[in-house]
Structure formats: C-alpha cells, structure tokens
Amino acid sequence: MLIAVTLPLPAAAAGEHVHHSPYANQELSEIKSLSADDLAELESGGGWGLAKAAELNGIPGPTHVLKMRADLALSADQETSTQRIFEKMREDAVIEGKRLIAGELALEIAFREGSINKANLRAQLRAVETIRTNLRYIHLTAHLEMMRVLTEAQVNQVKQYSELRGYAR
C-alpha cells in the first residue's frame, strides 16, 4: 500500500504533467479524420453505422436479410431481389465511399499545407458532408427497399431477431 501511494510522488515533485491526448499516434495517419477501419469500411462499401436509424427501428438492410435467409425462409425471388439490392447498395457505396475519402484527404492536405481559410473551409466541409449524406442515403434506401421484398411475417421475425441482439426497447 505504501509503495502504491509513494510511487507517484517523484513525478509530482519534479513538476511533471502528463497531457496525453486521445489522438496520440493518429498524427501519423495520412487522413487523420479516418481510422484504418474507417477507410477499409468505406472502400468496401460497408455500412459504417450510417443506417442505424433503420436498423435500430427494425427495418433490416440487405446484408442482414441475406445472413438470415434460412431463418426467414426467403423465396428464390426474395433472395434474388435482396441480392440485387445488396449489390447495387455496395456498388454505389464503394463509389461514394471513395469520394468521401478523397474529400477528407483534400481537407487534410489543405490543413497540412496551411492553404485553408474560413471561406474555403466552409466550402470543403459542405462538399464532404454532401458526400456523407449521399452515402447515408444509399444505405438507408437499401433498408427501405427491403420492406418491399419481405412479407409482414418476415419483418416481424427480423424484429424478434433484433430484440435478441439487444435492440429491444
């Protein structure tokens, strides 16, 4: 106990202060606003959490429906439709994800080079947020399209599954 209490004393006596940032080690990233996981998700057309409004309200996306195809007893037509929705979503999301990465990189470079100012900062932010909005639209639209494919009973089954995943209210 005495050791635990006295160990911090030399640092305190020397006047050392630790100001560790939660961003430490991120300064080496090419695009500081995006982690390696973010980049991988965006480049692969992943959801990146953009469809939570649908997902957490029991409106499944094509990815989850395809994973649950056996549990939902999807018909061949339903599976084909779901696969088509998934592929279109993924294709569009990859394109828009790459645009988002490019927008974040342009913002990063402007800060790195010191060429950013208030006027062009707002314009660059608008451009990036428009892309993010487009990307979110792509994912949320896929969720909405699933409602046309699934029967009411299947939607209820997904809601029960969601409750098992801990999404119950």
Side-chain angles (χ1 to χ4, degrees), residues 29 39 57 61 68 70 90 108 134 136 143 163:
S29 301
L39 291 169
N57 283 294
M68 295 176 60
R90 179 63 48 103
E108 173 74 30
N134 293 342
R136 191 169 187 202
H143 282 251
E163 289 174 10

PDB file of all heavy atoms in Angstrom, residues 29 39 57 61 68 70 90 108 134 136 143 163:
ATOM      1  N   SER A  29      -1.220   9.235 -39.395  1.00  0.00           N
ATOM      2  CA  SER A  29      -2.160   8.772 -40.417  1.00  0.00           C
ATOM      3  C   SER A  29      -2.187   9.728 -41.598  1.00  0.00           C
ATOM      4  O   SER A  29      -2.037  10.936 -41.426  1.00  0.00           O
ATOM      5  CB  SER A  29      -3.574   8.688 -39.841  1.00  0.00           C
ATOM      6  OG  SER A  29      -3.610   7.817 -38.754  1.00  0.00           O
ATOM      7  N   LEU A  39     -11.410   3.592 -43.199  1.00  0.00           N
ATOM      8  CA  LEU A  39     -11.003   3.519 -44.599  1.00  0.00           C
ATOM      9  C   LEU A  39     -11.401   2.182 -45.221  1.00  0.00           C
ATOM     10  O   LEU A  39     -11.953   2.145 -46.328  1.00  0.00           O
ATOM     11  CB  LEU A  39      -9.494   3.741 -44.734  1.00  0.00           C
ATOM     12  CG  LEU A  39      -9.002   5.152 -44.425  1.00  0.00           C
ATOM     13  CD1 LEU A  39      -7.484   5.183 -44.338  1.00  0.00           C
ATOM     14  CD2 LEU A  39      -9.514   6.147 -45.458  1.00  0.00           C
ATOM     15  N   ASN A  57     -34.573   0.433 -35.678  1.00  0.00           N
ATOM     16  CA  ASN A  57     -36.033   0.529 -35.655  1.00  0.00           C
ATOM     17  C   ASN A  57     -36.676  -0.641 -36.388  1.00  0.00           C
ATOM     18  O   ASN A  57     -37.827  -0.556 -36.825  1.00  0.00           O
ATOM     19  CB  ASN A  57     -36.482   1.877 -36.232  1.00  0.00           C
ATOM     20  CG  ASN A  57     -36.284   2.986 -35.222  1.00  0.00           C
ATOM     21  OD1 ASN A  57     -36.939   3.003 -34.190  1.00  0.00           O
ATOM     22  ND2 ASN A  57     -35.348   3.884 -35.491  1.00  0.00           N
ATOM     23  N   GLY A  61     -31.455  -4.224 -43.350  1.00  0.00           N
ATOM     24  CA  GLY A  61     -30.791  -3.993 -44.631  1.00  0.00           C
ATOM     25  C   GLY A  61     -30.571  -5.316 -45.325  1.00  0.00           C
ATOM     26  O   GLY A  61     -30.746  -6.394 -44.740  1.00  0.00           O
ATOM     27  N   MET A  68     -29.693 -13.899 -42.772  1.00  0.00           N
ATOM     28  CA  MET A  68     -30.821 -14.580 -42.122  1.00  0.00           C
ATOM     29  C   MET A  68     -31.708 -15.321 -43.124  1.00  0.00           C
ATOM     30  O   MET A  68     -32.813 -15.718 -42.791  1.00  0.00           O
ATOM     31  CB  MET A  68     -31.675 -13.546 -41.372  1.00  0.00           C
ATOM     32  CG  MET A  68     -30.974 -12.869 -40.222  1.00  0.00           C
ATOM     33  SD  MET A  68     -32.014 -11.587 -39.474  1.00  0.00           S
ATOM     34  CE  MET A  68     -33.429 -12.537 -38.953  1.00  0.00           C
ATOM     35  N   ALA A  70     -32.052 -18.248 -44.360  1.00  0.00           N
ATOM     36  CA  ALA A  70     -32.651 -19.533 -43.967  1.00  0.00           C
ATOM     37  C   ALA A  70     -33.686 -19.322 -42.872  1.00  0.00           C
ATOM     38  O   ALA A  70     -34.793 -19.883 -42.937  1.00  0.00           O
ATOM     39  CB  ALA A  70     -31.574 -20.505 -43.507  1.00  0.00           C
ATOM     40  N   ARG A  90     -23.922  -1.841 -52.449  1.00  0.00           N
ATOM     41  CA  ARG A  90     -22.476  -1.975 -52.294  1.00  0.00           C
ATOM     42  C   ARG A  90     -21.746  -1.207 -53.398  1.00  0.00           C
ATOM     43  O   ARG A  90     -20.798  -0.477 -53.136  1.00  0.00           O
ATOM     44  CB  ARG A  90     -22.103  -3.463 -52.320  1.00  0.00           C
ATOM     45  CG  ARG A  90     -20.642  -3.810 -52.205  1.00  0.00           C
ATOM     46  CD  ARG A  90     -19.943  -3.414 -50.907  1.00  0.00           C
ATOM     47  NE  ARG A  90     -20.619  -3.760 -49.700  1.00  0.00           N
ATOM     48  CZ  ARG A  90     -20.330  -4.769 -48.895  1.00  0.00           C
ATOM     49  NH1 ARG A  90     -19.344  -5.572 -49.199  1.00  0.00           N
ATOM     50  NH2 ARG A  90     -21.005  -4.960 -47.793  1.00  0.00           N
ATOM     51  N   GLU A 108      -7.568  17.354 -45.354  1.00  0.00           N
ATOM     52  CA  GLU A 108      -6.318  17.051 -44.646  1.00  0.00           C
ATOM     53  C   GLU A 108      -5.136  17.790 -45.286  1.00  0.00           C
ATOM     54  O   GLU A 108      -4.337  18.420 -44.600  1.00  0.00           O
ATOM     55  CB  GLU A 108      -6.063  15.545 -44.684  1.00  0.00           C
ATOM     56  CG  GLU A 108      -4.743  15.099 -44.154  1.00  0.00           C
ATOM     57  CD  GLU A 108      -4.651  15.170 -42.646  1.00  0.00           C
ATOM     58  OE1 GLU A 108      -5.685  15.007 -41.976  1.00  0.00           O
ATOM     59  OE2 GLU A 108      -3.543  15.383 -42.143  1.00  0.00           O
ATOM     60  N   ASN A 134     -25.025  11.594 -49.127  1.00  0.00           N
ATOM     61  CA  ASN A 134     -25.301  10.679 -50.241  1.00  0.00           C
ATOM     62  C   ASN A 134     -25.028   9.229 -49.838  1.00  0.00           C
ATOM     63  O   ASN A 134     -25.797   8.323 -50.172  1.00  0.00           O
ATOM     64  CB  ASN A 134     -24.461  11.034 -51.471  1.00  0.00           C
ATOM     65  CG  ASN A 134     -24.848  12.361 -52.075  1.00  0.00           C
ATOM     66  OD1 ASN A 134     -25.921  12.894 -51.839  1.00  0.00           O
ATOM     67  ND2 ASN A 134     -23.950  12.926 -52.858  1.00  0.00           N
ATOM     68  N   ARG A 136     -25.048   7.970 -46.799  1.00  0.00           N
ATOM     69  CA  ARG A 136     -26.071   7.546 -45.832  1.00  0.00           C
ATOM     70  C   ARG A 136     -27.388   7.241 -46.555  1.00  0.00           C
ATOM     71  O   ARG A 136     -28.075   6.271 -46.226  1.00  0.00           O
ATOM     72  CB  ARG A 136     -26.266   8.645 -44.789  1.00  0.00           C
ATOM     73  CG  ARG A 136     -27.095   8.192 -43.622  1.00  0.00           C
ATOM     74  CD  ARG A 136     -27.055   9.193 -42.503  1.00  0.00           C
ATOM     75  NE  ARG A 136     -27.726   8.615 -41.353  1.00  0.00           N
ATOM     76  CZ  ARG A 136     -28.225   9.324 -40.379  1.00  0.00           C
ATOM     77  NH1 ARG A 136     -28.108  10.638 -40.375  1.00  0.00           N
ATOM     78  NH2 ARG A 136     -28.827   8.727 -39.373  1.00  0.00           N
ATOM     79  N   HIS A 143     -32.302  -0.246 -46.967  1.00  0.00           N
ATOM     80  CA  HIS A 143     -33.160  -0.742 -45.887  1.00  0.00           C
ATOM     81  C   HIS A 143     -34.633  -0.571 -46.265  1.00  0.00           C
ATOM     82  O   HIS A 143     -35.434  -1.494 -46.073  1.00  0.00           O
ATOM     83  CB  HIS A 143     -32.860  -0.003 -44.582  1.00  0.00           C
ATOM     84  CG  HIS A 143     -31.618  -0.483 -43.902  1.00  0.00           C
ATOM     85  ND1 HIS A 143     -31.651  -1.212 -42.745  1.00  0.00           N
ATOM     86  CD2 HIS A 143     -30.306  -0.334 -44.216  1.00  0.00           C
ATOM     87  CE1 HIS A 143     -30.412  -1.494 -42.368  1.00  0.00           C
ATOM     88  NE2 HIS A 143     -29.578  -0.967 -43.256  1.00  0.00           N
ATOM     89  N   GLU A 163     -34.543  -7.966 -31.231  1.00  0.00           N
ATOM     90  CA  GLU A 163     -34.690  -7.981 -29.778  1.00  0.00           C
ATOM     91  C   GLU A 163     -33.666  -8.923 -29.150  1.00  0.00           C
ATOM     92  O   GLU A 163     -33.071  -8.615 -28.121  1.00  0.00           O
ATOM     93  CB  GLU A 163     -36.116  -8.388 -29.388  1.00  0.00           C
ATOM     94  CG  GLU A 163     -37.138  -7.323 -29.695  1.00  0.00           C
ATOM     95  CD  GLU A 163     -38.575  -7.751 -29.450  1.00  0.00           C
ATOM     96  OE1 GLU A 163     -38.782  -8.827 -28.850  1.00  0.00           O
ATOM     97  OE2 GLU A 163     -39.469  -7.001 -29.842  1.00  0.00           O
TER      98      GLU A 163
END
